[in-house]
Amino acid sequence: MDDNRFDALIIGAGFSGLYMLHELRRLGLRTCVLEKAHDIGGTWLFNRYPGARCDIESIEYSYSFSDEIQQEWVWTETMPAQPEIEAYLHFVAEKLDLRRDIRLHTDIAAMTFDEEASEWVLRAASGETFVAPYVVAASGILSVPVEPDFQGVDTFAGASLYSSRWPAVGFDLTRKRVGVIGTGSTGVQMIPVIAEQAAHLTVFQRSPAFTLPWRVREFAPGELDELKAQYPDIRAAQREHPVGAARLSAFSVLINMLARPPIKTATADDKAEAVEKGVMGALDWGDIFFDIDANRMATELYGQAIARIVTDAETAAALVPTHPFGCKRPIIDQGYYETFNRANVGLVDLRKGVITEVTPTGIATEQGFHELDVIVYATGFDAMTGALSRIDVRGRDGVLLRDYWATEGPVSYLGLAVAGFPNLFIVQGPGSPSAATNFVAALEQHVEWIAACLKHLHDSGNRTIEALPEAQREWVEHATSIVAATVLAHPSCNSWYNGANVPGKKRMYMGYTAGIPEYRRRCDEIATAGYTGFALS
Ligand code: NA7
């Protein structure tokens, strides 16, 4: 038992957990990372589907805390593909000698706060226990997949593949009739790649996506070295940027749009010119985040731009979204719409008739039957709260975190801590910048804040820190009020950002949208003032 007693425990060995371990070791804390998987990597270990790639530039979607790491590691492409990010995390783990404090195959099933001892007792699925006064949940925001329970789903005689647990050895799709369910970021990334491999691809689309074309390319010789020489400026610009990514990415495109002229006063010529520029140009207006009518006008232009790419008129019309642009995660793609011009690709618009059943030979919808050899599920995640809700997390008075969130909604103080759950820190929990930003930039800020907080507790002779309910309420109100004025709050916005993709989940926008610099300013102000909004004892 004593071997399993630590100063701090971290759940999850992905991007967040690895840096957290490094920071806590630097403080001299005896720390252990508990990881359920067979290896490190988190999101970038599991999501190895064809075409899996980050939508932020590699030189920004990477740790900034170590110049040695950023100078030594070699990115080969402007936006990194999954294997390269996984390899990068392995490199970091070796470089910082992290693996000796990581326990793999350790799936935490329950954790209880012992109020008398003021410490957490964690129990793994194997029965093994771990004890520490502090726990950092670095368990990921998109780590629990939503897998639909269509009638007959288990009867399918072909291969059922899930985007977030793709076989490590890959899967040969050549000469196969493949069906893909889901057209979020994952579906949009994999569809063009699968179309090139499969004999036939049927895309089952419930909600069409807004997706912006992007050319990912290999770095030219010497280009990466030039960028590395500019790292001080690149990192400084990132730090000041609301989404933590100052170079072009889908997020910064959105931010840049805010400075554009409004569509509402645009002339017919302006609009025609916008459509000429393609789907990205069609959306490039300054008023579409705050005005739902403006947003709908831009969507109309977007539909016209799709119709210029997709030759079949019915397919082109089916690809036009009905939700407001901006309310879901912006997607970038490589040849998505062009894929629907291929002879071996078909689109099933589930808005005209839903999936009724999976049979041994394929998928039945209200519109007809599709014979398939492979079904690919790209159906999303129980985001933000999913991972912690699957653990029996019991705080004060034995309250279960999942019950608390089910009743109150996914509330927190700063997206970092939850009232009634002392000494539990969440990296990028609901109410933090997290998924509305460059996640790596956001997590670095959290990890550093948590480490400084633990140092403060130690130096000030405190053992317990706990968010106060009143501060939590005010934070939730503050975060919610920022999105209230935008299309993000529109009732037709159903996405993982607000929990609408998980049946029964309490709806609440789960990001903090004032940007990382403002968020950092507030977190630092709170810390400097002696951790206002927290009780320390
Ligand atoms: P998303 O963005 O949640 O997309 C999931 C997709 O799956 C979306 O098109 C869903 O349609 C669709 N879906 C979910 N359930 C069903 C059922 N039952 N029937 C048909 N279609 C369904 O998840 P992703 O994995 O693509 O992306 C998640 C994040 O990963 C992304 O935002 C990036 O941050 C990285 P819906 O829209 O709900 O109608």
Side-chain angles (χ1 to χ4, degrees):
M1 181 71 188
D2 275 345
D3 284 350
N4 283 355
R5 189 172 274 283
F6 294 89
D7 296 326
L9 289 162
I10 299 166
I11 303 175
F15 254 108
S16 306
L18 294 180
Y19 183 32
M20 195 75 244
L21 172 60
H22 178 61
E23 279 292 278
L24 295 189
R25 282 208 317 212
R26 273 175 4 117
L27 286 180
L29 299 185
R30 187 163 179 262
T31 307
C32 183
V33 179
L34 308 170
E35 167 57 61
K36 69 176 176 190
H38 63 282
D39 207 343
I40 64 168
T43 290
W44 295 107
L45 170 67
F46 287 104
N47 289 275
R48 42 177 75 245
Y49 57 84
R53 182 180 291 282
C54 182
D55 54 10
I56 293 170
E57 289 200 15
S58 45
I59 56 163
E60 293 191 318
Y61 189 83
S62 47
Y63 294 122
S64 71
F65 68 84
S66 160
D67 192 47
E68 205 176 322
I69 287 173
Q70 66 190 13
Q71 293 300 336
E72 274 185 32
W73 177 254
V74 179
W75 296 109
T76 63
E77 293 179 293
T78 50
M79 287 184 180
Q82 175 271 334
E84 196 155 279
I85 305 176
E86 191 186 351
Y88 167 76
L89 291 173
H90 285 223
F91 167 78
V92 173
E94 303 310 326
K95 183 94 195 150
L96 302 176
D97 189 20
L98 298 177
R99 284 187 186 267
R100 67 185 155 88
D101 288 322
I102 300 173
R103 292 277 299 264
L104 301 172
H105 302 289
T106 307
D107 185 5
I108 297 304
M111 47 187 276
T112 303
F113 188 67
D114 177 339
E115 296 190 43
E116 229 162 82
S118 192
E119 60 191 15
W120 284 96
V121 181
L122 281 65
R123 184 172 51 76
S126 63
E128 193 177 5
T129 56
F130 302 83
V131 180
Y134 306 108
V135 173
V136 181
S139 36
I141 64 165
L142 293 160
S143 48
V144 176
V146 172
E147 294 173 357
D149 56 349
F150 298 120
Q151 190 186 325
V153 73
D154 295 330
T155 66
F156 185 57
S160 299
L161 301 178
Y162 296 84
S163 60
S164 57
R165 45 188 173 100
W166 200 265
V169 289
F171 194 93
D172 184 8
L173 294 169
T174 52
R175 292 185 295 281
K176 302 279 195 309
R177 294 163 303 174
V178 181
V180 170
I181 305 175
T183 51
S185 297
T186 301
V188 167
Q189 280 191 335
M190 65 165 62
I191 283 164
V193 183
I194 292 179
E196 284 184 6
Q197 299 170 359
H200 190 269
L201 168 64
T202 308
V203 176
F204 295 87
Q205 169 195 266
R206 189 165 72 180
S207 303
F210 284 101
T211 171
L212 310 174
W214 214 271
R215 196 171 77 86
V216 176
R217 59 175 179 81
E218 287 185 3
F219 283 118
E223 186 182 358
L224 183 64
D225 289 335
E226 272 176 38
L227 289 166
K228 283 181 175 179
Q230 297 163 33
Y231 249 133
D233 292 340
I234 291 171
R235 296 302 191 191
Q238 262 186 275
R239 219 178 140 79
E240 294 310 314
H241 197 278
V243 297
R247 298 168 68 83
L248 268 189
S249 70
F251 281 129
S252 50
V253 164
L254 292 195
I255 300 287
N256 294 345
M257 282 175 186
L258 296 175
R260 305 283 297 140
I263 191 172
K264 280 211 153 156
T265 52
T267 64
D269 281 353
D270 295 337
K271 291 180 190 169
E273 202 183 307
V275 173
E276 285 271 321
K277 288 184 189 154
V279 289
M280 188 138 24
L283 296 170
D284 200 11
W285 307 99
D287 48 353
I288 62 176
F289 293 104
F290 303 102
D291 184 332
I292 190 73
D293 295 330
N295 202 299
R296 295 217 164 103
M297 288 165 77
T299 303
E300 213 179 299
L301 302 188
Y302 186 80
Q304 291 172 24
I306 293 175
R308 290 163 58 96
I309 307 170
V310 177
T311 46
D312 177 65
E314 198 184 335
T315 305
L319 286 165
V320 182
T322 37
H323 61 276
F325 174 64
C327 86
K328 293 193 182 193
R329 162 100 176 192
I331 303 178
I332 62 177
D333 71 85
Q334 294 175 79
Y336 181 67
Y337 289 124
E338 289 79 359
T339 299
F340 291 93
N341 290 335
R342 293 176 65 109
N344 70 333
V345 175
L347 178 69
V348 177
D349 182 355
L350 297 173
R351 292 173 301 181
K352 293 185 181 152
V354 298
I355 293 173
T356 50
E357 193 185 359
V358 176
T359 76
T361 54
I363 292 179
T365 77
E366 288 171 342
Q367 308 163 65
F369 185 74
H370 300 268
E371 273 197 27
L372 299 167
D373 304 309
V374 178
I375 300 177
V376 177
Y377 295 89
T379 43
F381 299 87
D382 181 356
M384 310 297 292
T385 55
L388 275 179
S389 294
R390 267 151 194 78
I391 300 174
D392 286 340
V393 181
R394 289 189 187 275
R396 284 204 191 282
D397 305 320
V399 172
L400 261 178
L401 182 56
R402 72 167 154 272
D403 289 350
Y404 183 70
W405 274 341
T407 319
E408 301 292 321
V411 296
S412 76
Y413 182 39
L414 300 175
L416 262 167
V418 181
F421 297 83
N423 292 5
L424 170 62
F425 298 92
I426 308 173
V427 180
Q428 294 300 319
S432 68
S434 60
T437 62
N438 173 359
F439 193 77
V440 181
L443 78 84
E444 281 193 326
Q445 183 269 339
H446 255 192
V447 163
E448 287 157 18
W449 191 93
I450 292 166
C453 177
L454 290 186
K455 181 168 185 328
H456 174 83
L457 290 176
H458 176 266
D459 292 351
S460 60
N462 286 296
R463 183 171 167 90
T464 309
I465 181 164
E466 184 172 1
L468 294 169
E470 183 59 15
Q472 177 169 284
R473 193 181 56 72
E474 282 172 11
W475 180 255
V476 172
E477 276 175 15
H478 166 63
T480 310
S481 71
I482 304 171
V483 291
T486 71
V487 294
L488 293 170
H490 195 266
S492 64
C493 269
N494 295 320
S495 80
W496 61 262
Y497 279 141
N498 59 21
N501 68 324
V502 178
K505 191 162 174 175
K506 199 153 183 172
R507 195 180 169 115
M508 180 188 285
Y509 187 80
M510 292 185 278
Y512 181 70
T513 53
I516 301 177
E518 170 61 10
Y519 177 77
R520 180 187 296 111
R521 188 192 66 72
R522 286 174 180 263
C523 288
D524 289 350
E525 193 175 87
I526 284 165
T528 307
Y531 293 89
T532 41
F534 290 97
L536 274 58
S537 56

